Amino acid sequence: MLAIPVISRSISTTCPYCGVGCGIEATVNPDETVTIRGDQAHPANFGKLCVKGTSVGETVSLAGRLLQPMLYGKPVTVDKAVQAVAQGLASMMAEYGPESVAFYVSGQLLTEDYYVANKLIKGFMGSANIDTNSRLCMASAVVGYKRAFGSDTVPASYDDLDACDLLVMVGSNAAWAHPILFQQMAKSKRENPHKKIVLIDPRLTDSADIADLHLPLLPGTDAFLFNGLLSYLAQHQALNDDYISQFTQGIDESLQLAQQTAPSIEVVAEICGLSVESVEEFYRWFAQTEKTVTFYSQGVNQSSSGVDKSNAIINVHLATGRVGKLGASPFSITGQPNAMGGREVGGLANQLAAHMDFNNTADIDRVARFWQATHMAQTNGLKAVDMFKAIESGKIKAIWIMHTNPVVSMPDADAVRRALEACPLVIVSDNMAHTDTVKLAHIQLPAAAWGEKDGTVTNSSRIISRQRPFKSAPVQVKPDWWWICQVAQAMGYAGFDYDSPAAIFREHAALSGFENDGITSRRDFDISGLSNLSDADYDHFVPKPWPITEQSPNGTERLLSDGQFFTDSRKANFIPITPRLPMELPCEAYPFVLNTGRYRDQWHTMTRTALTPRLLQHRSEPLLSINAKDAQKLNLQEGDIARVSNRLGQCLLRVSVDEGMRQGQVFAPMHWTDVYASQARVDCLIPAHTDPLSGQPESKHAVVTIAPFKPQWQGWVMTRSAEWQANTAYWVKVPLANAVLWWLADDQPLDEMSLPIADMRYEDSRLGIYRCATLDDERLDSVFFSAQNSGADLPSPDVIVRLFAEYALTSAQILSLLTGQDNQQADTGAIVCSCFSVGEKTIEKAIVGGANTVESIGVCCQAGSNCGSCIPEIKRLLAKRGV
């Protein structure tokens, strides 16, 4: 009998990471491994992928997955889990009312999941207490657009990044947070010698690599800068008077307030901590350049005045008529793959579906009639920060958390943990079994992971793409829409008997066009052209930007170009801005400003990226970036450990001296959790201050004090054991390909009993050195190295990592094991290029050998030749060598 060959199959889908929304070709190989490459036809990336996207195929195993429903710590059947959720929610509502329950959802959900979650709680449970982690990301941008345009309309497309002659990046480190767009920006700058790029950011980040001008303004002063720009435009006759009179309203009050708060370049420069010359140059470029895009992100949004900052930016675009035109628009970039999809279905507590609002009674009635809703919510629900405060106070008795980790990502994260610990009913849908939030759940629902999901997502430029499954989900793992609909039906609600995500999508599309005729209502979001999409057409849907109607079946690239807005008057609103500084300012007790954000190779709370060892090569520990002069004053050196604290909590972070930081400011990454570090949940330091209009927290600003953590010893363990757990004051867990690395430090004496049992030992008590190793026959099982105090005598674990890849060590390797050296292996240095695991010393060797450009280094050792995220670091190495 002939064996039937197993053929590889390739599926077009989308990347699960940032808001760029890159297309992916996922090929499932005969051995069930997955090969990832960029989708050449996708309009977001045209085949390019960053290192996170490239490596996403390495995250699809079942390791660490939640594979069966759990009820109070015990496995149950799917049916029993559904009944437990339905009965739990219904009993709370019966005793305490519909406002006693809440959903907290995520930009990781697909649009179809989002849609039914909103329909259930807002249309049938009678509460609008559903909010999303996108509240932490882009809620201020949403309100800014709605105040100015009358709708949450993103007017621009990615093509505008190429077409503009001036690109202003505000509060965005696109080089790390949106690397494919950053490479597009870099390419367009190379091809357009006249293009100017301005980076406005307190930190000197890798995004400055392509900037002609960097404005390191003081944190929170953005609105002063843009009010000053509006004032400058008026003073220099650079306003577009025809556009203003024909398509806008409210210029006089806005301009008057701008002139009062930012009357001159000198005043702006002093408030923002900038030089007069740099502010004047920026203003001059903006005034003279018709094709200008302002590209803004979390540095604007994550603020107690984020909405006003957004509108200060939009004001200068309205004043110059640069909205919805080729190469000219304000462009807010989202952080998550489906944050936009959540906006479309009403994923925020203050929204209704299809860009309708609770402040419009006709909208409430319209959605209720379309859904045939039995208990339609009538008012806004609680936004994220207020939602968790309501849990803490006991007002909310039950919460269903879907695909997010608020115990790590919310501000005042320790308070969020305390609230969930006291909450009578916590339900969590997730694909991972071990997160800081999942472990607090009374009911755990195993949800489909990327690779198993089927539905749609919308990226930052309004492009709707299909997310297609290429792996079958385990038997008891279900899509989120399925769990939600089963619970709805178990609660007795009609209208949730969908047989596929395609059926949900058709209803979503139909609602977008329902009474959206320009007479009854006029709304920007309209995909009614897809309301009769067949299952086959849904399966083969190609990416396109909304609106998608019968008149525009291929979508609409750019909006608002005709000057017709979605306000009652059809004119855009100038918004008068009174700039406000952050809620808490440095003081004697807390003299430093803490800024938080992303690392290049990590994502959110690492539940997916930590499964990929190469994504931990670039930064294996959370670092505190600090200016050299501040470090010196604090008696801190590179590699020391610092205690960062305030009235809310504390973290222990390793020090990285960074000349890109201004004095008085520090930066730490948001990603590490209690699963991967002892004390590195930096959001426990972030106060729960929010923008009064958007409810978005001020995640970019906390005041802290910093002091050296003085360990008696430092060290590291590398082990094959998945069960071994560190118990030191400082530890960081780093998953590797063949082992787990633990960075350790403690202010207590070394406890040898807590270490793996050793076969080999070396100790020098005079120098405070202790080393040991365990072998399984000739295969390395575990290694421990320690040194006293600063750990200056510790060898790098890089050599030992390679020994764990060996099936059996040679006699020479065993003899040299506790020296921490392997003469057979070259030291490649700290990883710079994660795509190809190229270290700093390898790149330096290439430079010494004659490679004097980024391109020649790529030819020599591949670094920088794939996604390009490491190019700024390669350029710094070239500059360091005087090339």
Side-chain angles (χ1 to χ4, degrees):
M1 184 174 179
L2 293 175
I4 300 174
V6 179
I7 302 173
S8 298
R9 60 191 188 279
S10 184
I11 301 293
S12 295
T13 185
T14 49
C15 179
Y17 291 119
C18 77
V20 177
C22 294
I24 278 177
E25 290 287 336
T27 300
V28 183
N29 304 309
D31 62 357
E32 291 301 308
T33 59
V34 178
T35 301
I36 298 294
R37 65 181 180 87
D39 184 348
Q40 300 283 342
H42 199 287
N45 60 312
F46 297 104
K48 295 180 175 62
L49 288 177
C50 74
V51 66
K52 291 193 292 290
T54 302
S55 63
V56 72
E58 300 165 24
T59 70
V60 298
S61 76
L62 298 182
R65 287 286 299 275
L66 179 62
L67 297 175
Q68 57 186 337
M70 303 292 289
L71 180 60
Y72 293 96
K74 296 181 179 179
V76 296
T77 65
V78 167
D79 289 343
K80 188 166 184 179
V82 168
Q83 290 300 320
V85 174
Q87 291 168 10
L89 294 175
S91 64
M92 293 298 179
M93 291 167 60
E95 185 171 356
Y96 301 105
E99 299 304 318
S100 68
V101 298
F103 292 177
Y104 186 61
V105 297
S106 165
Q108 300 291 296
L109 292 176
L110 304 188
T111 299
E112 293 77 2
D113 306 322
Y114 252 135
Y115 179 85
V116 293
N118 275 276
K119 180 179 177 180
L120 171 58
I121 192 167
K122 288 176 179 170
F124 292 82
M125 294 170 66
S127 170
N129 285 342
I130 176 171
D131 213 35
T132 166
N133 63 2
S134 299
R135 176 72 61 188
L136 315 181
C137 165
M138 50 64 196
S140 290
V142 171
V143 179
Y145 280 144
K146 290 176 74 171
R147 287 207 299 178
F149 303 153
S151 59
D152 178 18
T153 305
V154 179
S157 84
Y158 293 160
D159 288 346
D160 294 317
L161 301 176
D162 294 330
C164 67
D165 294 318
L166 175 63
L167 175 62
V168 183
M169 300 169 65
V170 191
S172 166
N173 184 13
W176 281 20
H178 301 97
I180 294 305
L181 289 187
F182 181 76
Q183 293 308 316
Q184 180 181 338
M185 297 170 188
K187 181 174 181 289
S188 70
K189 182 169 174 58
R190 289 193 299 270
E191 294 174 350
N192 179 2
H194 303 293
K195 191 187 198 94
K196 299 289 187 185
I197 296 180
V198 177
L199 176 66
I200 301 173
D201 193 315
R203 296 191 297 145
L204 181 67
T205 66
D206 276 6
S207 295
D209 179 61
I210 61 171
D212 299 281
L213 177 64
H214 173 221
L215 299 180
L217 78 177
L218 292 173
T221 60
D222 312 66
F224 286 101
L225 183 67
F226 281 91
N227 263 12
L229 176 54
L230 182 61
S231 179
Y232 178 93
L233 294 171
Q235 292 169 8
H236 291 77
Q237 293 76 51
L239 300 177
N240 188 330
D241 294 326
D242 290 342
Y243 185 92
I244 291 170
S245 63
Q246 189 173 355
F247 300 118
T248 75
Q249 56 194 12
I251 179 66
D252 291 340
E253 186 180 354
S254 296
L255 182 55
Q256 182 180 14
L257 197 50
Q259 291 169 334
Q260 288 175 1
T261 58
S264 68
I265 290 175
E266 290 75 15
V267 169
V268 170
E270 182 176 358
I271 292 172
C272 297
L274 300 170
S275 71
V276 170
E277 293 76 17
S278 63
V279 174
E280 184 173 22
E281 189 164 33
F282 166 49
Y283 286 1
R284 186 173 67 254
W285 287 354
F286 194 100
Q288 295 173 351
T289 311
E290 184 63 27
K291 289 188 174 181
T292 297
V293 168
T294 303
F295 180 95
Y296 57 104
S297 191
Q298 308 313 330
V300 171
N301 298 337
Q302 291 180 334
S303 165
S304 57
S305 59
V307 174
D308 281 350
K309 292 178 183 179
S310 295
N311 283 114
I313 290 169
I314 294 171
N315 279 350
V316 297
H317 278 267
L318 291 175
T320 51
R322 301 170 189 168
V323 177
K325 298 178 180 178
L326 179 66
S329 267
F331 193 176
S332 163
I333 189 78
T334 57
Q336 294 193 80
N338 202 31
M340 288 287 283
R343 288 150 77 167
E344 295 159 13
V345 302
L348 296 166
N350 54 313
Q351 292 179 330
L352 283 169
H355 282 200
M356 288 183 268
D357 283 299
F358 281 109
N359 59 11
N360 186 328
T361 56
D363 282 351
I364 298 173
D365 175 68
R366 183 176 298 112
V367 175
R369 284 187 287 110
F370 183 87
W371 280 344
Q372 299 179 38
T374 54
H375 297 90
M376 188 72 197
Q378 300 296 308
T379 60
N380 292 339
L382 294 174
K383 297 165 186 158
V385 170
D386 292 333
M387 180 183 290
F388 284 96
K389 287 181 178 178
I391 296 170
E392 186 176 33
S393 71
K395 178 181 177 182
I396 289 177
K397 305 292 185 181
I399 184 167
W400 188 350
I401 299 169
M402 305 180 196
H403 284 290
T404 186
N405 198 4
V407 173
V408 180
S409 58
M410 285 289 294
D412 198 1
D414 286 346
V416 170
R417 178 163 56 191
R418 291 192 298 268
L420 291 178
E421 287 172 340
C423 186
L425 180 60
V426 178
I427 306 154
V428 175
S429 301
D430 210 308
N431 61 339
M432 301 305 294
H434 306 290
T435 75
D436 295 46
T437 302
V438 167
K439 70 181 181 182
L440 300 180
H442 304 109
I443 304 174
Q444 300 172 8
L445 303 179
W450 181 83
E452 302 159 2
K453 290 186 175 187
D454 190 6
T456 57
V457 295
T458 306
N459 74 0
S460 293
S461 62
R462 296 176 283 102
I463 294 173
I464 299 173
S465 301
R466 283 282 278 116
Q467 176 109 25
R468 296 181 177 90
F470 53 84
K471 291 176 72 74
S472 297
V475 175
Q476 297 188 79
V477 172
K478 305 296 181 184
D480 293 282
W481 68 265
W482 188 94
W483 283 116
I484 295 162
C485 290
Q486 291 297 308
V487 168
Q489 292 177 80
M491 295 178 75
Y493 300 132
F496 291 88
D497 55 346
Y498 308 101
D499 60 1
S500 68
I504 301 171
F505 184 83
R506 284 190 287 268
E507 182 176 306
H508 165 54
L511 176 55
S512 75
F514 183 58
E515 298 180 356
N516 191 7
D517 53 11
I519 300 172
T520 310
S521 176
R522 182 176 179 268
R523 307 188 299 274
D524 63 334
F525 179 68
D526 188 347
I527 58 170
S528 56
L530 304 175
S531 59
N532 294 313
L533 207 63
S534 68
D535 286 359
D537 288 340
Y538 179 80
D539 286 343
H540 295 97
F541 182 81
V542 296
K544 58 187 71 172
W546 62 260
I548 305 167
T549 62
E550 290 183 0
Q551 295 75 30
S552 303
N554 295 317
T556 310
E557 183 178 20
R558 203 168 280 105
L559 291 175
L560 307 179
S561 53
D562 59 357
Q564 296 300 298
F565 297 87
F566 291 87
T567 60
D568 291 340
S569 66
R570 299 292 184 256
K571 292 188 173 186
N573 294 317
F574 280 92
I575 304 298
I577 301 300
T578 301
R580 303 192 312 276
L581 294 175
M583 294 289 288
E584 296 189 16
L585 299 177
C587 59
E588 185 177 353
Y590 304 113
F592 290 94
V593 171
L594 170 66
N595 184 1
T596 70
R598 297 192 191 281
Y599 270 174
R600 189 188 78 186
D601 295 353
Q602 289 305 318
W603 173 252
H604 280 198
T605 61
M606 296 171 60
T607 49
R608 182 185 292 116
T609 47
L611 300 175
T612 306
R614 65 169 154 154
L615 294 183
L616 285 159
Q617 294 178 122
H618 186 244
R619 296 284 189 275
S620 66
E621 294 178 273
L623 304 177
L624 181 74
S625 297
I626 186 170
N627 181 275
K629 292 181 179 178
D630 286 333
Q632 185 177 22
K633 289 178 183 177
L634 294 168
N635 197 27
L636 287 168
Q637 298 180 14
E638 181 79 21
D640 285 353
I641 298 172
R643 189 187 305 276
V644 186
S645 62
N646 61 15
R647 60 185 175 80
L648 299 175
Q650 71 168 20
C651 290
L652 293 178
L653 302 168
R654 198 172 297 279
V655 169
S656 173
V657 176
D658 184 349
E659 290 308 322
M661 300 300 303
R662 291 184 65 145
Q663 283 188 258
Q665 299 174 26
V666 294
F667 175 87
M670 55 172 274
H671 309 290
W672 270 261
T673 72
D674 283 351
V675 175
Y676 292 106
S678 58
Q679 299 183 66
R681 290 165 50 251
V682 297
D683 277 311
C684 78
L685 300 169
I686 302 297
H689 300 312
T690 60
D691 184 290
L693 298 175
S694 70
Q696 183 159 359
E698 195 156 56
S699 299
K700 291 287 186 185
H701 193 100
V703 293
V704 297
T705 187
I706 301 169
F709 172 74
K710 298 179 179 179
Q712 292 193 29
W713 62 273
Q714 295 196 52
W716 51 265
V717 164
M718 200 176 297
T719 177
R720 294 187 192 275
S721 171
E723 285 74 37
W724 191 83
Q725 174 64 50
N727 61 1
T728 49
Y730 177 90
W731 59 260
V732 176
K733 179 182 179 181
V734 187
L736 306 172
N738 300 290
V740 179
L741 170 66
W742 296 81
W743 294 105
L744 308 172
D746 209 343
D747 52 3
Q748 300 299 314
L750 176 64
D751 178 10
E752 295 180 28
M753 298 299 294
S754 67
L755 300 174
I757 297 173
D759 298 326
M760 306 167 57
R761 283 186 177 84
Y762 168 76
E763 185 173 8
D764 186 331
S765 56
R766 182 177 57 85
L767 296 176
I769 293 173
Y770 181 82
R771 301 174 181 181
C772 62
T774 303
L775 298 174
D776 183 359
D777 290 331
E778 294 176 338
R779 191 170 187 242
L780 187 57
D781 185 75
S782 63
V783 177
F784 171 72
F785 283 72
S786 73
Q788 63 184 356
N789 302 329
S790 68
D793 296 319
L794 276 174
S796 166
D798 293 344
V799 170
I800 304 298
V801 169
R802 293 189 284 268
L803 297 181
F804 273 86
E806 302 288 342
Y807 181 76
L809 301 186
T810 65
S811 298
Q813 287 173 325
I814 293 173
L815 287 172
S816 65
L817 179 59
L818 295 186
T819 68
Q821 299 176 5
D822 183 356
N823 295 329
Q824 301 174 33
Q825 299 284 348
D827 181 6
T828 60
I831 293 296
V832 174
C833 173
S834 298
C835 291
F836 298 111
S837 299
V838 183
E840 183 176 304
K841 292 183 179 179
T842 300
I843 296 170
E844 289 177 337
K845 183 178 178 181
I847 296 170
V848 171
N852 57 8
T853 65
V854 170
E855 292 74 19
S856 60
I857 287 172
V859 171
C860 183
C861 62
Q862 295 187 286
S865 63
N866 186 40
C867 77
S869 297
C870 61
I871 288 175
E873 286 189 58
I874 294 173
K875 287 183 176 179
R876 287 197 291 273
L877 291 174
L878 285 165
K880 181 180 175 182
R881 290 280 178 173
V883 178

